[in-house]
Amino acid sequence: MEWLIKKAEELARKHGLDYYEIRLVKVTSRRLVMSNGQLRELSSNSELGIGARAFNGTWGFSSANDRERFEKAIETAMKIAKLSRGDAKIYLGEPVRDKVELKVKKPFTEIDIEEKLSLVKEIDGLLRGEKIVSRSVNYGDSIVETFYFNSLGSEIRTVVPRIRLGFSVTARENGEMQDFWKSFGGTLGWELIEGINLDHWTAHVKEKALELLRASSPPSGEMDVIADPELTGVFIHEALGHAVEADSVKNGDSILAGRLGERIAVEGLNVVDDPTLPGKFGSYPYDDEGIKAKRVEIIKDGVLVSYLNDRETAEYFGLEPNGHARAESYSHQPLVRMGNTYVEPGDWSFEEILEEVKNGLYMLGDKGGEVDTANGTFTFGAKLGYIVENGEIKEPVRDVALSGKILDVLKNIRAIGNDTRVEFPGYCGKGQWVPVDDGGPHILTRALVGGLR
Amino acid sequence: MIEAVERLVKLLESENVEWEVFYQFGRSGSFRIERETLERSQRKFYSGIGLRVGLKGRLGFSYITGLHPSEEELKKLVERAVKLAKISEVPFRGFPASGRVNRVRGIYDRTIDEIPFEEAHRLALEYAELMQEKKGEETLSGSLSLAVGTSGVVNSNGIELEERSTYMGVSAYAVISEPPGTGSYRQSFTSLQPVEELERAVEKAVDEARLSARAKKLESYSGELVLEPNALASLIEVFLSNLYGDEVYHGRSRFSKPGDEIGSFTLVDDSTLPALPGSYSFDGEGVPGQRTVLVGDGIVRNFLLDHTYASFLGMESTGNALRTFRSVPYIGTSNLILEPGDESLEDYEGVIVRKVFGEHTANPVSGDFSLTVELGYVIENGELKPFKDNMLVGNVFELLRTLKPGRKVERISSFVSPRGLVEGRLV
């Protein structure tokens, strides 16, 4: 590493550049995929790559994965920066020297690939059942070792382990087909797998897929919706999280631009993004610009109090840097991203929330979402739902996406449950994919339901 | 064949296994413009070699990055892939044998390959200036990228193929803040385009943002409506997973064999079309690219297949194995063509949906979808009233049953489609 640091210094002097940062990343990963008892993939690989950025009022970036090109990548980033020259500024701060390894109880690297294969087979067996026409199991783990250094003298070494397990079934009856699935994941070791009650969750997945076969499409129109903790997670991620990413705000692409300090949601709503939560899927110790990850209060008692930022947007808005610049890999430039986003608990019990609803829906599970931050419209999908009438849960409904206006639905929240859970791992796309977690309690709001009835 | 692959092949020939080497190398330059200013420029290099090994009916896969491996690294790559083949239990159905490959024209442009970075950077600056000129009350952003890549397949059945292709991508995005409105445009090419293409991108995004800022939510509507190619692309995406060979084989498709009737349209996958960004002469396994009628006159005629799933289903590969050196082949589309029909929809008066989003929340196996309308408009007596924020809801199988394609096609990167008349519902 020393030669690379020296080389970067030399090149920066030669090109007259003040700021650069370099990430040298080694990824070791394993992946097993099984469909209907048949193994589709079993892979175990590692690779090393470099991502170099230099700043000259704009960013120049270059990446390479052939060792013979590492030095050239650094020089290319610097040449590009020199060529570009802009008038943006970035937060620099003090140099950081640190070494952090996210500790796990039982490293998955010590588990043989044969044992991982037998786990996948065991789950495949448990997923078998009447009317279940297709089964799928997906296991993956990775260790990302990053050596970050910059022209300020920061030198940060991090080791982040990540593990995930997901399984799904397709049920079929009378030509109708329905899926259901469940995912687990975290910056954890094999203890994650050992902590899963496989009998319970495989039975749950099958039962819900069969229940969906009997479900009908919900009514459509604007109505009361209770979201479960998993759906609250995707709701807050889409309805708020993306719009408070400060690069969107800076680029005139967010409906929340200029609203810091303003009440944008109901009193009592508190939303946090916290990459420092131990063991969560979206956790990390330092971001990809060498800034320490921080818990950020986004909404405090209904008031927008902060944006998520990177070195550039922190300087631009005069905000405290909060370590939310993340890159998919060494060959990607960091963008402002979420980590673990969630709604803090309120004081309603689930039963009390249910009683509030005369005519509405209880929607469960996360099927992903999408947002148009500039128009302020978002969509999110639920895995399944139930009609609610006079506080009682009635028949199941299926295949539904909901839509709303960011500024309306945050104000339309009528109840915030006391049962926050943050355990719904996934990947978030914004041109690049990064692992995130989200969650919250049960909440009650209004949204446009796109049912077929 | 590159030198490292030649060395790897020599090592493999002394092993008692079947093998396939897939390699890639290339570079890209891309530029990101934000608020009409060039903010981020990058130049990336990538290269790597993926190796599949077949042994006693089982398959092992491993890869390395870079094209300058030591002998030791190559030996380890072979050892790893062989070891995985021994324990993996991934079924091995043989590798394709060499067939006649016709070279697709127009997928390589020397000017993109040889353009100096400084010149590409100048083009990006010109793009940013164009945005400054054309800017009204909108905030404009966008991107420009140029890339060249080479990929090659060599296997123990005699396949030895290599192909170089180039790419140019352009996008523009316009935002009006009060009242909020957004417009976007995206296109890709295989050759370097004149500056008029950049102008077109900005103009289209601006026009759309202005429409979007005027758009209000529409009353609920049910009946005949027209989907523009962009919206049709979203719905066809929901439907398409039913035509993937692996989904069919694993029981996750509506169809189990060709022959089902689903409407009256024709949908084709064609990797042999000249100068389209989805084109290739051979796929990731060395199977020649081809034109495949997926749905012909409303009947399912074929599925998207690679060598493995074609073999499982007792069919022939359609040359749709996509991959990178990091991955085993996976099934995907090349260029997707919805064939034009007889309807004249250019002067259609009524409800027209331009763009929807949220297709990944839809359920491809049941076919039910509810998608947010990003932009649509109603034309009445020549007057245009834009709308947005409704949801387009329905079942994709039922909707496609009513689809009547228009005459004039439009290309959105590797998707070519006319407008389509359907029975639909907005809430």
Side-chain angles (χ1 to χ4, degrees), chain A residues 29-252:
Chain A
S29 62
R30 284 140 298 264
R31 194 167 126 88
L32 288 91
V33 183
M34 180 170 271
S35 291
N36 295 339
Q38 193 174 82
L39 202 58
R40 297 179 73 166
E41 185 178 343
L42 178 145
S43 59
S44 170
N45 279 294
S46 71
E47 67 173 275
L48 180 70
I50 194 169
R53 288 215 299 180
F55 189 73
N56 188 24
T58 72
W59 288 107
F61 176 82
S62 187
S63 67
N65 60 9
D66 188 321
R67 251 167 282 175
E68 297 205 350
R69 278 198 174 269
F70 282 8
E71 190 182 319
K72 185 162 178 173
I74 297 178
E75 180 153 32
T76 302
M78 290 180 180
K79 279 185 178 166
I80 296 172
K82 210 174 158 190
L83 184 69
S84 303
R85 189 180 314 183
D87 52 12
K89 294 195 168 43
I90 52 168
Y91 167 84
L92 292 173
E94 296 299 313
V96 178
R97 283 171 183 261
D98 202 357
K99 204 172 165 178
V100 190
E101 179 170 356
L102 294 187
K103 289 278 183 240
V104 301
K105 284 188 185 142
K106 201 167 179 183
F108 46 70
T109 43
E110 289 170 15
I111 307 296
D112 291 341
I113 198 115
E114 284 85 354
E115 193 171 332
K116 291 171 186 171
L117 181 57
S118 67
L119 168 81
V120 166
K121 281 185 189 168
E122 181 193 348
I123 297 169
D124 175 75
L126 290 169
L127 292 173
R128 282 173 192 274
E130 208 183 329
K131 296 177 194 157
I132 302 297
V133 292
S134 193
R135 322 178 295 279
S136 182
V137 190
N138 196 316
Y139 169 90
D141 61 44
S142 68
I143 300 220
V144 180
E145 295 167 74
T146 305
F147 175 54
Y148 170 96
F149 65 94
N150 66 20
S151 52
L152 304 169
S154 289
E155 284 181 29
I156 305 165
R157 285 167 204 275
T158 54
V159 180
V160 177
R162 240 184 216 98
I163 183 167
R164 67 193 153 76
L165 174 69
F167 42 85
S168 69
V169 295
T170 305
R172 182 174 198 148
E173 189 175 32
N174 302 327
E176 285 286 339
M177 284 166 74
Q178 285 289 338
D179 283 340
F180 204 83
W181 65 96
K182 173 74 188 166
S183 305
F184 304 87
T187 42
L188 292 162
W190 194 250
E191 68 270 15
L192 172 94
I193 305 294
E194 289 177 340
I196 301 170
N197 183 338
L198 290 175
D199 290 323
H200 167 78
W201 285 111
T202 50
H204 176 81
V205 162
K206 286 189 279 186
E207 185 193 311
K208 292 296 173 193
L210 294 173
E211 192 174 347
L212 279 171
L213 283 179
R214 296 190 299 272
S216 52
S217 184
S220 57
E222 195 172 302
M223 63 187 80
D224 282 356
V225 174
I226 303 174
D228 82 330
E230 185 174 350
L231 192 63
T232 297
V234 66
F235 159 78
I236 208 67
H237 178 107
E238 300 299 341
L240 179 74
H242 282 295
V244 298
E245 290 168 342
D247 51 352
S248 297
V249 180
K250 171 172 157 267
N251 295 330

Side-chain angles (χ1 to χ4, degrees), chain B residues 41 43 67 79 110 170 174 199 214 218 238 258 265 319 345 373:
Chain B
S41 309
R43 188 164 168 81
L67 292 179
E79 267 171 35
R110 187 172 293 275
V170 178
E199 276 181 33
R214 278 171 51 207
L218 193 72
V238 175
F265 61 95
L345 300 176
V373 176

Side-chain angles (χ1 to χ4, degrees), chain A residues 39-40 42 45 47 61-63 66 121 134 220 253 331 333 375 377 379 398-399 401 405 450 452, chain B residues 41-44 62-63 67-68 84 88-89 173 182 246 250 326 363 366 368 370 372 388-389 425:
Chain A
L39 202 58
R40 297 179 73 166
L42 178 145
N45 279 294
E47 67 173 275
F61 176 82
S62 187
S63 67
D66 188 321
K121 281 185 189 168
S134 193
S220 57
D253 192 16
S331 69
Q333 294 194 59
N375 271 316
T377 311
T379 294
R398 68 178 204 200
D399 294 337
K405 304 284 279 180
L452 269 59
Chain B
S41 309
Q42 62 183 21
R43 188 164 168 81
K44 298 187 191 184
S62 194
Y63 73 82
L67 292 179
H68 301 90
L84 286 173
S88 82
E89 300 179 23
Y173 183 54
T182 58
D246 49 349
H250 288 296
R326 284 189 185 86
N363 183 343
S366 73
D368 286 358
S370 30
T372 301
K388 64 182 177 187
D389 299 341
R425 185 163 162 229

Side-chain angles (χ1 to χ4, degrees), chain A residues 38, chain B residues 57-59 90-96 307-309 311-314:
Chain A
Q38 193 174 82
Chain B
R58 291 175 174 193
L59 193 65
V90 175
F92 172 56
R93 309 290 287 194
F95 294 120
H307 181 79
T308 304
Y309 283 94
S311 151
F312 285 147
L313 291 168

Side-chain angles (χ1 to χ4, degrees), chain A residues 267-292:
Chain A
E267 283 177 32
L269 185 76
N270 296 300
V271 182
V272 171
D273 190 283
D274 189 358
T276 71
L277 287 177
K280 297 299 173 193
F281 201 58
S283 298
Y284 52 90
Y286 280 90
D287 77 358
D288 288 306
E289 291 185 331
I291 303 275
K292 204 173 177 65

